[in-house]
Amino acid sequence: MDDVLVTGLGVLSCLGSGADTYWEGMNAARSAPGRVPDPDARMDHPLLYMVPEADLPAGPREQDGLLLGRASQFALEAARQAVADAGLTLPGDTDPRRVAVAIATAMGDSGLHDQWRSAGAAEGDRWTPTFAVSSVVGGLLGAQGANVSVSNACAAGGFGLSLAADLIRCGEADVVVAGGSEAYSRVALACFNRLGAIDPERCRPFDAARQGTMFGEGAAVLVLESAAHARERGATKAYATLAGTGWSCDAYHTTAPEPGGEQIERAMRQALREAGAPDDGGGIGFVVPHGTGTELNDTVESRVLNTVLGAAARDTPVYSLKALLGHTGGAAAALAVATAALILHRGSVPPNVPLGERDPDCAVRLPTGPTAPTGPYGLVNAYAFGGNNVSLVLKEATL
Amino acid sequence: MSADRDLVVTGVGVVDAEGFDYRTALGRRGYKYLPTATQYFLAAAKRALESAGQDSLEAVDPELRGAAVGTNSAAEALHDRMDRTVLQTSAADLSPALAPYFSINLFGSRPATEYALKGFNITLVGPRVAGFDALRTGQRCVALGRADWLLAGATEEALPPTAPGAAASEAGAVALVLEPAAAVAARGGTAYGRVAARSFFLPPRAAHDPALARELLDSALKELGHGLDTGLAATAVLDDSPVGRAVATALGDGTTHVPARAGCLEPVLRVAAALRAGGEAAERRPSAVVTAAAEGNVAVCLVTPGGPDTERDTDHKMRRAER
């Protein structure tokens, strides 16, 4: 089976737009949530890590007759960046039938529907599907291969990137433009408020005082490509190899993780095995955890990481991305994979946002200065409502 | 890896929203506060499992049972009601039982909990094609070793009455149980037939080019062992968009046309109907169901009735039906 390489990246987040801005923002390790600019957000904590207005793509508002919400606009911008970064011309120098698209999102363009409820219905009698983000990207690129949308809640981006790798491994595509996109949704934020799962201050994974999570906006789109295709077209760089994926389902509860973490451990071990990483955890150079800031999630994940990494857990840096970006929902794992690819490419784990008092039940290493990876593999975890678990392992790449 | 494992459909469950009552379909306790699309899919899964037989599930380790579900609009009506509550009063008045269902993946995820489907549970949402994407994704996952047994299907709920396009809403669910043919034969089980799906993307701005639509559709059908010129019977679930019209033109005369509705249910219902009709000798030829969305997504599913041991399957199913 041919390697699946990450040859291009595009990113939008509360840190701004573009992969270089993203890397600089991670190394600055500063961010702050703000109040959503929605007068109808009637809820206790209308807070979000938003994409800055100055970094919003100028448009389009519509594509091929379909009105676009922020999630679609974010995805279009991130896809443009990723394809340009990979040095691809689409359509152009690759057979469009061999180019697939897989974009994950938890809420899609539901924000557009929220606006219509506040300000009056959309014109016309065409239903605007909430989940056409992947279609819009396919339309932009003229990609004629499979066009897949995944919506596995907060793990969607991880499942979407796994599916993208599967399309290449099964010979169904040479290039997959894949990732995740998430934008403000009044419905989602209201529901998380109702569940009492929003931290009133900020997103504080692994902090003893954490009170829940806090959402963020963002998108990460990656160009995944078979190594043979990348070499044949003369690609000049590869950030990383997407080397292993592991899936499982708790089959336990609608919202709560299975307290023993049996299935999240299985997903991690599957991904490590598929990547060819040592089974004692020694090859893992860093971890980008799911780590949302919710009580049980952080505790269960920490315990399982200690089990899977074994003696290496004490030294392995854990990079808590959500402490910086908030929880970007269906885009979160795509942003985490983009982060892991950048870490491998640049050889440095960015500093974590400093915590208050650490939760003693979350015994993971969270360095607050830049750190060198301790091994050639990076582990990314993502978990979701419904008990859906996915782990992805990236490793250093050579073309 | 390109070879798929030989999966056969051993269970088919269909739920029509018209007249649906969760109490008779599922039981009086434990289901009252679930959204209707969740109830529909749970009931469809229950019927599919009953159809496959008790030993279908029990023969497989829970960690090798996967589920892939497609939906486009299951959450729309609930989200509309939730948002109107926030607009009129506040989030504090939302139902805590329903609040998790802001996430559309929960509409098809309940069977995982009920039946210990621990391999994976994935939700696909591409416009109109999500049900076929679920079939294809699930089968690919089995081919890659993520599971040995698959529950795949679709569930939808009607759009809010005031939403554009609400008149074309659909509501209900379909679930299929798929198992490796060899495993079915080993346990003496029976099969309705085989399904195989492929999808591609026809960029809306290229839909005016009939040659492109024809080439892409022909290519997808050839991957399934047929083609546009092989006389394959086809049912087309299409709308009147440029993409829909391009696919209709590519399919040509002799195609059965069914008006597309808002979600992804109708194409999977047609597949279920073709599988169920497969017990009758006259209907045993392969056929295709094709669907497309204005947004550019196109998918095709080939239905081949009959299991690995066709005659025995037919006799067995007829005896089961008589009981």
Side-chain angles (χ1 to χ4, degrees):
Chain A
M1 232 181 282
D2 203 3
D3 278 350
V4 176
L5 303 180
V6 179
T7 56
L9 288 175
V11 182
L12 275 174
S13 72
C14 66
L15 304 176
S17 180
D20 288 342
T21 302
Y22 185 62
W23 183 252
E24 287 163 16
M26 284 196 289
N27 280 283
R30 285 191 307 273
S31 65
R35 188 182 176 91
V36 297
D38 175 4
D40 293 318
R42 298 189 177 94
M43 54 196 80
D44 291 341
H45 306 300
L47 300 168
L48 196 72
Y49 292 84
M50 300 196 74
V51 171
E53 287 300 312
D55 292 299
L56 285 176
R61 300 282 179 200
E62 173 269 338
Q63 181 175 292
D64 301 322
L66 182 71
L67 295 166
L68 306 182
R70 283 168 75 89
S72 285
Q73 291 171 336
F74 291 171
L76 284 175
E77 175 59 23
R80 274 192 206 101
Q81 291 176 17
V83 169
D85 185 39
L88 273 170
T89 304
L90 295 177
D93 56 7
T94 297
D95 180 352
R97 293 170 300 182
R98 302 289 300 163
V99 179
V101 176
I103 306 291
T105 179
M107 299 304 292
D109 279 341
S110 78
L112 198 59
H113 296 247
D114 295 347
Q115 287 172 28
W116 291 334
R117 283 182 215 106
S118 290
E123 291 179 3
D125 59 359
R126 176 179 172 179
W127 180 51
T128 304
T130 309
F131 296 104
V133 181
S134 200
S135 316
V136 170
V137 172
L140 170 79
L141 302 176
Q144 296 166 7
N147 186 291
V148 189
S149 300
V150 179
S151 192
N152 265 35
C154 302
F159 281 95
L161 284 165
S162 294
L163 280 187
D166 289 354
L167 287 167
I168 292 172
R169 289 182 178 132
C170 290
E172 293 179 51
D174 297 323
V175 175
V176 188
V177 178
S181 185
E182 204 68 72
Y184 167 56
S185 156
R186 187 166 59 230
V187 169
L189 190 54
C191 286
F192 243 65
N193 267 271
R194 182 64 185 91
L195 291 168
I198 299 285
D199 192 305
E201 292 187 16
R202 62 186 179 95
C203 196
R204 296 180 286 179
F206 310 113
D207 189 308
R210 68 189 184 277
Q211 295 180 52
T213 195
M214 189 177 290
F215 286 140
E217 290 187 317
V221 173
L222 293 77
V223 174
L224 298 186
E225 189 168 1
S226 77
H229 186 270
R231 283 191 289 267
E232 191 177 323
R233 74 173 176 89
T236 56
K237 67 174 179 295
Y239 289 95
T241 300
L242 179 47
T245 59
W247 296 9
S248 68
C249 179
D250 288 351
Y252 172 75
H253 190 270
T254 302
T255 55
E258 191 271 306
E262 182 182 349
Q263 291 303 316
I264 71 169
E265 179 178 342
R266 190 167 71 87
M268 278 189 223
R269 291 195 186 282
Q270 259 183 31
L272 291 167
R273 194 164 51 245
E274 191 173 292
D279 60 8
D280 62 358
I284 299 301
F286 64 94
V287 177
V288 185
H290 185 59
T292 58
T294 51
E295 175 75 28
L296 194 54
N297 171 85
D298 293 0
T299 308
V300 172
E301 185 178 14
S302 298
R303 286 179 186 157
V304 175
L305 276 173
N306 275 279
T307 302
V308 171
L309 298 177
R314 196 182 62 179
D315 298 321
T316 306
V318 171
Y319 180 60
S320 177
L321 182 63
K322 291 184 181 72
L324 184 66
L325 307 185
H327 188 347
T328 51
L335 281 154
V337 170
T339 300
L342 283 167
I343 289 171
L344 286 165
H345 190 56
R346 293 179 179 254
S348 173
V349 182
N352 275 290
V353 175
L355 291 178
E357 187 183 341
R358 287 283 307 280
D359 183 342
D361 281 339
C362 299
V364 291
R365 182 185 172 213
L366 294 160
T368 51
T371 313
T374 54
Y377 297 93
L379 171 66
V380 173
N381 294 328
Y383 309 126
F385 277 10
N388 299 153
N389 313 307
V390 58
S391 289
L392 303 100
V393 172
L394 287 84
K395 69 176 181 184
E396 295 167 355
T398 49
L399 270 170
Chain B
M1 180 182 295
S2 58
D4 286 358
R5 288 173 71 182
D6 182 19
L7 293 180
V8 291
V9 178
T10 56
V12 178
V14 175
V15 166
D16 188 339
E18 185 89 26
F20 177 81
D21 183 340
Y22 76 89
R23 288 165 295 198
T24 51
L26 297 168
R28 288 185 170 275
R29 290 183 179 274
Y31 304 104
K32 180 177 179 180
Y33 296 107
L34 297 178
T36 47
T38 306
Q39 294 171 342
Y40 298 154
F41 191 67
L42 197 48
K46 184 180 179 189
R47 289 173 190 174
L49 283 159
E50 287 168 356
S51 160
Q54 183 70 19
D55 47 353
S56 167
L57 195 65
E58 291 173 354
V60 183
D61 185 317
E63 293 182 351
L64 292 173
R65 301 171 187 166
V69 186
T71 182
N72 297 149
S73 56
E76 295 294 328
L78 179 62
H79 285 184
D80 187 78
R81 291 197 300 276
M82 287 169 159
D83 200 28
R84 292 185 193 286
T85 298
V86 176
L87 291 172
Q88 286 161 16
T89 57
S90 81
D93 285 335
L94 294 171
S95 155
L98 290 175
Y101 288 85
F102 75 84
S103 183
I104 195 166
N105 76 310
L106 292 184
F107 289 82
S109 71
R110 186 63 180 258
T113 311
E114 298 260 332
Y115 301 111
L117 313 182
K118 297 187 177 184
F120 63 86
N121 186 187
I122 189 163
T123 297
L124 287 307
V125 290
R128 197 153 291 145
V129 299
F132 285 0
D133 278 348
L135 278 174
R136 176 63 190 144
T137 299
Q139 290 193 318
R140 190 189 301 112
C141 287
V142 172
L144 288 168
R146 289 201 175 101
D148 276 348
W149 181 101
L150 179 67
L151 179 73
T155 188
E156 296 289 17
E157 175 57 296
L159 295 172
T162 55
S169 286
E170 50 188 350
V174 184
L176 306 176
V177 171
L178 294 98
E179 304 174 65
V184 177
R187 69 176 173 84
T190 64
Y192 287 91
R194 291 172 172 80
V195 292
R198 290 291 185 277
S199 67
F200 61 89
F201 191 75
L202 178 61
R205 67 194 63 170
H208 63 277
D209 178 2
L212 179 62
R214 183 175 172 78
E215 178 192 327
L216 292 172
L217 187 56
D218 189 50
S219 176
L221 285 166
K222 280 181 174 155
E223 281 189 48
L224 301 173
H226 289 268
L228 278 171
D229 297 324
T230 59
L232 185 68
T235 300
V237 183
L238 301 172
D239 59 24
D240 192 36
S241 68
V243 175
R245 289 197 297 272
V247 171
T249 302
L251 283 165
D253 296 337
T255 303
T256 302
H257 287 274
V258 177
R261 305 187 76 77
C264 70
L265 186 60
E266 183 67 38
V268 194
L269 280 171
R270 295 284 160 173
V271 168
L275 285 165
R276 284 175 153 175
E280 297 167 27
E283 302 294 333
R284 280 183 173 271
R285 291 173 300 152
S287 62
V289 180
V290 180
T291 193
E295 291 74 26
N297 300 75
V298 186
V300 54
C301 183
L302 185 78
V303 184
T304 308
D309 183 349
T310 303
E311 295 306 317
R312 192 201 66 201
D313 283 353
T314 306
D315 293 345
H316 194 130
K317 282 210 182 292
M318 290 176 74
R319 283 197 299 275
R320 186 188 291 174
E322 285 165 5
R323 285 200 296 270

